[in-house]
């Protein structure tokens, strides 16, 4: 039935004053992605031939976000609506870039959770039909009401401010999302006036025009009230965020992921997981996260662009960013793995350890209180508590190389650039500023230990 290319118009010119924000409303995020990003992704998933965004003030911010996020991968036609004179006027701004031979789909940039399934049903109504997404609300106040005749056919949409008392009792409302042939849309919009209670050009006026012209008018029911809900303030935004997070969590649970509490789980990106993966409460996952079979994530961890191998355990309160971890490793509690960290299989990184641009070979351990940055560490290395790679001289970063089987005693400072040969042992408390040969013991500290028997500790002044 659909022969014509699909052109989506995303209305995003509303000021969004109630957000009380310097950002355009549609850039406020749900699940870590601007609302308008959800809508654009839905249009993409529908296979739209072109997407047109109608923006108002803040268009520069919108374009800047789009370029940053999608780069040259996707194209959008931008149309500015300098003054917000109503939804019909907004749609008109996009018309010059829309060919006659097109099916048009109207979307709202501030209705982020609309499902591809619902939109698919709307578009499937055909390119010779005016199709509307409607929903039944217990509290329809504020919305345009769907007016039907005795046969149940839609005869028009009446806005709240123009509705009679009887019409106000109608609970089926217009969500604003609709589809129609471009030729008809162009004819109708030319006829829409602003002689109504709000003095605006109402897009909804086209419904009665379609009916009068004998065009088929169809409706599609929304699957939930939330998927067609707009966010005008931060209370609504937070409510939609919770709904979205719960939907994601439930989908993951159905796929076999174990979540200690789906209400205390936040995914702001994508998660790939194997079998028997479990995530405890309070975790935030961002970007692209991949967890292989049997991975266990303790409570209150943050994972941002992370890939973790099978059977690895991440303990509570660990923060991992741009990190790759092998299988059967053990991290945390309280570990901080910064960008460029690569931990091999069976590695251990314990509490209060910070790593950055560090490759750690199979079976190596950094168990307590260390900073390991700009380092290449071989296999079966043991880094003692309190060891620091002094990688920064105030201007440049330098590399620390530690070969297989090295044992670094506690509280050593490794002053980079420096390299430690295979199997070397470093005595505790050493400051290692020159390369260390393989094997043997190397230490660098005050030569003798002395004791002063009559030494007196400083005393606190007693207050009188
Ligand atoms: C509109 C519908 C109403 C529907 C409701 C659903 C009309 C006349 N009414 O009402 O039937 O029940 O949405 O939420 O269409 N926008 C612009 N430029 C404008 C005006 C609006 O871009 O000049 C955008 C807004 O940013 C928003 C969308 O269009 O994304 C809807 O605008 P809004 O003012 O919320 O419409 P309502 O009056 O609530
Ligand atoms: Ca509205």
């Amino acid at each position: 039935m659909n022969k014509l290319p699909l052109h989506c118009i995303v209305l995003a010119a509303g000021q969004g004053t109630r957000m009380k924000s310097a950002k355009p409303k549609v850039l406020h995020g749900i699940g870590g992605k601007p609302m308008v990003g959800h809508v654009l992704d839905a249009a993409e998933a529908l296979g739209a031939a072109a997407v047109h965004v109608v923006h108002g003030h803040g268009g520069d911010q919108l374009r800047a976000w789009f370029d940053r996020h999608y780069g040259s991968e996707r194209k959008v036609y931008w149309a500015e609506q300098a003054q917000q004179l109503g939804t019909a006027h907004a749609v008109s701004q996009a018309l010059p870039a829309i060919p006659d031979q097109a099916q048009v789909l109207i979307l709202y940039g501030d209705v982020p959770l609309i499902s591809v399934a619902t939109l698919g049903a709307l578009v499937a109504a055909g390119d010779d039909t005016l199709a509307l997404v409607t929903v039944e609300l217990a509290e329809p106040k504020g919305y345009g009401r769907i007016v039907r005749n005795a046969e149940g056919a839609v005869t028009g949409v009446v806005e709240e401010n123009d509705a009679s008392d009887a019409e106000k009792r109608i609970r089926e409302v217009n969500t604003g999302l609709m589809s129609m042939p471009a030729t008809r849309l162009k004819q109708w919009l030319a006829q829409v006036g602003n002689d109504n209670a709000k003095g605006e050009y109402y897009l909804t006026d086209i419904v009665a025009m379609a009916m009068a012209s004998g065009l088929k008018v169809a409706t599609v029911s929304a699957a939930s009230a939330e998927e067609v809900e707009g966010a005008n303030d931060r209370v609504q935004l937070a409510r939609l965020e919770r709904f979205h997070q719960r939907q994601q969590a439930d989908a993951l649970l159905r796929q076999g992921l174990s979540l200690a509490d789906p209400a205390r789980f936040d995914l702001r990106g994508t998660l790939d997981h194997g079998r028997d993966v479990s995530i405890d409460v309070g975790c935030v996952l961002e970007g692209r996260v991949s967890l292989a079979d049997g991975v266990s994530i303790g409570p209150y961890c943050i994972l941002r662009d992370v890939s973790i191998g099978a059977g690895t355990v991440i303990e509570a309160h660990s923060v991992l960013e741009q990190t790759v971890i092998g299988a059967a490793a053990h991290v945390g509690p309280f570990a901080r793995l910064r960008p460029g960290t690569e931990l091999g299989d069976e590695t251990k990184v314990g509490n209060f350890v910070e790593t950055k641009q560090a490759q750690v070979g199979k079976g190596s351990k950094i168990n307590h209180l260390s900073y390991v940055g700009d380092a290449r560490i071989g296999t079966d290395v043991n880094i003692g508590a309190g060891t620091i790679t002094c990688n920064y001289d105030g201007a440049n970063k330098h590399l620390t190389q530690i070969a297989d089987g090295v044992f670094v005693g506690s509280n050593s400072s490794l002053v980079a650039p420096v390299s430690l040969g295979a199997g070397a042992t470093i005595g505790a408390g050493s400051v290692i500023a020159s390369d260390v040969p393989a094997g043997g013991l190397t230490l660098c500290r005050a030569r003798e230990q002395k004791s002063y028997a009559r030494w007196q500790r400083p005393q606190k002044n007693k207050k009188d």
Side-chain angles (χ1 to χ4, degrees), residues 53-111:
V53 176
V54 180
H55 63 83
H57 308 290
D60 295 347
Q61 285 184 63
L62 215 56
R63 284 168 198 237
W65 165 78
F66 184 88
D67 291 342
R68 231 180 16 253
H69 189 72
Y70 294 110
S72 52
E73 251 173 64
R74 280 202 220 165
K75 180 167 168 50
V76 149
Y77 295 86
W78 302 97
E80 183 173 1
Q81 186 194 24
Q83 262 188 302
Q84 278 70 68
L85 302 179
T87 45
H89 180 258
V91 170
S92 298
Q93 309 310 304
L95 285 190
I98 294 181
D100 286 346
Q101 294 308 306
Q103 179 176 4
V104 175
L105 172 62
I106 310 287
L107 300 170
Y108 285 3
D110 59 355
V111 176

Side-chain angles (χ1 to χ4, degrees), residues 12 14-30 32-36 56-62 65 68 232 234 237:
Q15 296 250 4
T17 349
R18 280 183 280 159
M19 286 288 178
K20 301 194 186 348
S21 170
K23 268 197 305 203
K25 173 164 74 170
V26 295
L27 284 184
H28 286 263
I30 295 283
K33 176 157 75 179
M35 290 195 277
V36 69
H57 308 290
D60 295 347
Q61 285 184 63
L62 215 56
W65 165 78
R68 231 180 16 253
N232 295 304
R234 296 182 199 245
L237 190 69

Side-chain angles (χ1 to χ4, degrees), residues 350-354 365-372 382-390 408-415 426-432:
N351 39 226
F352 307 109
V353 170
E354 174 181 349
K365 299 184 174 77
I366 315 170
N367 272 335
H368 334 265
L369 299 153
S370 273
Y371 172 63
V372 174
N382 195 312
I383 305 282
T387 297
I388 304 292
T389 54
C390 309
V408 180
S410 295
N411 217 35
S412 295
S413 301
L414 308 176
V415 183
I426 306 297
S430 293
V431 176
I432 302 294

Side-chain angles (χ1 to χ4, degrees), residues 159-442:
E159 294 301 308
E160 171 82 25
N161 291 329
D162 303 283
S164 66
D165 286 344
E167 287 166 336
K168 280 181 181 156
R169 281 193 290 272
I170 299 172
R171 289 181 31 209
E172 186 188 9
V173 306
N174 172 38
T175 65
L177 313 181
M178 51 178 93
S179 155
M180 71 290 284
T183 40
R184 298 297 192 116
L185 178 64
K186 290 179 182 188
Q187 291 160 9
W188 297 329
L189 283 180
Q191 297 167 42
V192 172
N194 64 351
D195 183 16
N196 52 52
K198 278 170 95 180
E200 283 187 5
Y201 295 90
Y202 289 164
L203 181 61
T204 40
D205 284 358
I206 70 171
V207 180
M209 293 179 192
M211 186 64 187
S213 72
L215 193 83
K216 201 173 129 203
V217 178
T219 58
V220 168
S221 296
S224 65
E226 286 85 356
E227 76 160 331
V228 291
E229 207 171 302
N232 295 304
D233 60 29
R234 296 182 199 245
V235 173
Q236 291 170 333
L237 190 69
R239 206 177 41 231
L240 289 185
E241 175 74 29
R242 280 346 300 161
F243 181 81
H244 171 66
Q245 289 298 347
R246 188 56 196 244
Q247 267 190 321
Q248 289 189 143
D250 287 349
L252 289 164
L253 289 169
R254 278 187 220 104
Q255 284 169 25
L257 179 78
S258 174
L259 290 170
D261 182 357
R264 283 181 289 168
F265 169 72
D266 286 83
L267 173 60
R268 303 174 191 154
T270 57
L271 169 61
D272 288 326
H273 63 87
R275 292 174 67 175
D276 298 310
V277 171
S278 68
I279 300 180
D280 213 325
V281 300
C283 292
V284 178
L285 275 54
E286 298 186 340
R288 297 170 78 93
V289 174
S290 160
L291 307 175
D293 291 352
V295 166
S296 158
I297 309 291
Y300 305 106
C301 289
I302 299 175
L303 275 56
R304 185 178 299 135
D305 295 313
V306 165
S307 163
I308 301 181
T312 288
V313 175
I314 311 293
E315 302 245 40
H317 293 285
S318 294
V319 179
L320 283 59
E321 182 173 4
Q322 290 174 40
T323 285
V324 178
I325 304 178
H330 197 111
V331 172
F334 300 102
R336 177 159 186 227
L337 309 186
R338 292 170 54 203
T341 297
E342 292 174 29
L343 305 183
D345 296 346
E346 295 163 40
T347 47
K348 285 185 92 171
V349 170
N351 39 226
F352 307 109
V353 170
E354 174 181 349
T355 63
K356 186 217 76 176
Q357 296 291 346
Q359 291 169 7
V360 181
K362 185 178 178 193
S364 291
K365 299 184 174 77
I366 315 170
N367 272 335
H368 334 265
L369 299 153
S370 273
Y371 172 63
V372 174
D374 301 303
R376 308 273 172 278
I377 298 178
T379 59
D380 297 313
V381 167
N382 195 312
I383 305 282
T387 297
I388 304 292
T389 54
C390 309
N391 61 326
Y392 186 54
D393 60 14
N396 309 293
K397 304 276 170 68
H398 299 285
L399 188 67
T400 299
Q401 286 175 280
I402 303 178
D404 296 348
V406 167
F407 183 99
V408 180
S410 295
N411 217 35
S412 295
S413 301
L414 308 176
V415 183
V418 71
S419 121
L420 280 52
T425 299
I426 306 297
S430 293
V431 176
I432 302 294
S434 313
D435 288 355
V436 170
L441 171 68
T442 298

